[in-house]
């Protein structure tokens, strides 16, 4: 079974080790896998472009303008990498909320984290898309190792299982993109995981919009931060597979109310409840359809 420790101790580059074993398991040709990964990168790129150029509301009306609003705003912190990573991540998730085509990586609710971090860093540094294929293969290997220990869904283990997994995958990918060792890549993944343990899944109304869109922006930056620490040779004190085991255990401890049921957290705030009632046609005005919410 592929484990984070096995990935960490793989010969460099770790993506080649992942690809070799995947071909052994599936019987697929390596070039076919690389071509498919390149196609997914193009899909990510397309969803980013659409998201950055649209302020159309989602079906619920809760999101839709955030990515474009950030992208078009002055860079108050003079931190172009952070703004790019955040905007890319939100662009993808708002496209998902508008029922646009995205790549679930590993889920729809966490789809913005990997493109936000990986494509954001690549564009910031002027790295072409053909160099993203190998990092994406490693990201897939990390996701597979995580999935062997716990379910990658908010319903099973809270948002830690979704956004934590995507942040770990993204962190490892960024490290490989920037020439880091397999050990550094998996240490980055471990640090990304350990700092998402306990995160609940509490979407307002049950829709992966609030807080999911902004959460992807935050955790795309989180992934880049983990990569930067690992590239500086900082490591997780707890071994990666033990971190993963701890996250899985916490997920099992979580009550159902905190696992994508909209029965806890932000979904149960007065505003969250009121919005949910309006979505279901139980508001004061009655009726159904898109709800009207302020755009700022």
């Amino acid at each position: 079974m592929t484990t984070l420790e096995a990935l960490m101790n793989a010969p460099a580059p770790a993506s080649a080790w992942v690809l070799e074993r995947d071909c052994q398991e599936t019987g697929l040709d390596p070039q076919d896998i690389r071509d498919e990964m390149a196609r997914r990168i193009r899909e990510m790129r397309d969803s980013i472009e659409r998201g950055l150029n649209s302020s159309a509301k989602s079906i619920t009306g809760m999101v839709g303008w955030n990515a474009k609003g950030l992208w078009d705003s002055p860079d108050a912190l003079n931190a172009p990498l952070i703004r790019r990573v955040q905007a890319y991540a939100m662009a993808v998730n708002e496209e998902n909320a508008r029922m646009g085509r995205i790549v679930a990586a590993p889920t729809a609710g966490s789809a913005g984290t990997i493109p936000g971090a990986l494509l954001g860093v690549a564009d910031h540094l002027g790295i072409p898309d053909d160099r993203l294929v190998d990092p994406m293969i490693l990201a897939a290997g990390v996701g597979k190792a995580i999935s062997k220990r716990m379910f990658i869904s908010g319903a099973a283990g809270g948002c830690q299982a979704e956004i934590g997994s995507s942040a770990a995958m993204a962190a490892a990918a960024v490290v490989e993109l920037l020439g880091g060792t397999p050990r550094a890549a998996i240490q980055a993944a471990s640090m990304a995981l350990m700092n998402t343990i306990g995160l609940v899944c509490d979407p307002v109304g049950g829709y992966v919009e609030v807080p999911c869109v902004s959460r992807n922006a935050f955790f795309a930056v989180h992934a880049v931060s983990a990569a930067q620490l690992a590239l500086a040779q900082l490591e997780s004190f707890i071994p990666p597979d033990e971190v993963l085991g701890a996250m899985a255990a916490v997920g099992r401890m979580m009550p159902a109310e905190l696992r994508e049921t909209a029965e806890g957290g932000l979904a149960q705030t007065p505003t969250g409840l009121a919005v949910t009632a309006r979505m279901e046609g139980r508001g004061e005005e009655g009726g159904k359809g898109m709800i009207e919410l302020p755009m700022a």
Side-chain angles (χ1 to χ4, degrees):
M1 180 177 74
T2 299
T3 64
L4 293 180
E5 182 178 3
L7 284 167
M8 184 170 67
N9 294 315
S15 57
W17 187 87
V18 171
L19 182 60
E20 179 182 358
R21 274 146 189 78
D22 194 59
C23 290
Q24 290 173 353
E25 290 179 13
T26 64
L28 294 173
D29 183 82
Q31 191 58 49
D32 289 340
I33 293 176
R34 294 179 62 82
D35 289 345
E36 175 60 22
M37 202 60 77
R39 186 186 69 80
R40 295 187 186 192
I41 292 168
R42 291 193 296 271
E43 293 284 2
M44 288 179 173
R45 178 72 69 191
D46 289 346
S47 62
I48 289 170
E49 184 175 352
R50 294 194 308 271
L52 292 179
N53 286 286
S54 176
S55 56
K57 293 181 181 181
S58 63
I59 298 299
T60 69
M62 288 192 289
V63 298
W65 53 90
N66 297 283
K68 189 176 189 301
L70 175 61
W71 192 242
D72 291 344
S73 295
D75 187 0
L77 294 177
N78 193 26
L81 174 59
I82 292 176
R83 184 174 69 157
R84 183 182 295 275
V85 167
Q86 290 179 320
Y88 280 18
M90 288 194 293
V92 173
N93 279 87
E94 289 191 317
E95 273 299 288
N96 178 59
R98 286 189 285 261
M99 305 301 169
R101 185 179 178 90
I102 55 95
V103 177
T107 67
S110 61
T113 308
I114 292 175
L118 183 59
L119 275 67
V121 168
D123 287 358
H124 178 72
L125 297 176
I127 298 172
D129 283 0
D130 60 3
R131 286 181 52 192
L132 304 184
V133 172
D134 288 340
M136 281 284 288
I137 289 171
L138 177 56
V142 170
K144 184 174 183 178
I146 293 172
S147 71
K148 297 295 184 181
R149 294 291 301 275
M150 69 178 191
F151 293 109
I152 301 180
S153 75
C159 200
Q160 57 163 15
E162 292 202 22
I163 207 77
S165 298
S166 64
M169 294 163 69
V174 170
V175 169
E176 174 143 324
L177 176 69
L178 300 182
T181 64
R183 183 176 186 88
I186 302 309
Q187 287 295 327
S190 180
M191 287 187 279
L193 286 172
M194 71 186 295
N195 288 293
T196 56
I197 289 178
L199 188 62
V200 304
C201 187
D202 54 349
V204 172
Y207 293 88
V208 286
E209 298 184 19
V210 175
C212 315
V213 169
S214 62
R215 187 167 285 174
N216 275 263
F218 276 92
F219 280 90
V221 175
H222 176 86
V224 174
S225 297
Q228 186 168 40
L229 294 180
L231 286 165
Q233 299 184 16
L234 278 69
E235 296 192 348
S236 168
F237 181 80
I238 306 299
D241 284 308
E242 291 184 29
V243 171
L244 181 53
M247 176 175 278
V250 169
R252 291 191 294 270
M253 295 175 193
M254 278 188 181
E257 289 82 0
L258 302 180
R259 289 187 278 116
E260 207 172 358
T261 59
E263 295 178 358
L266 295 175
Q268 289 294 304
T269 61
T271 296
L273 290 170
V275 168
T276 301
R278 290 162 66 185
M279 289 179 191
E280 297 174 352
R282 295 185 284 109
E284 293 179 359
E285 298 177 0
K288 295 186 178 181
M290 180 184 287
I291 60 172
E292 292 297 328
L293 296 175
M295 293 184 66

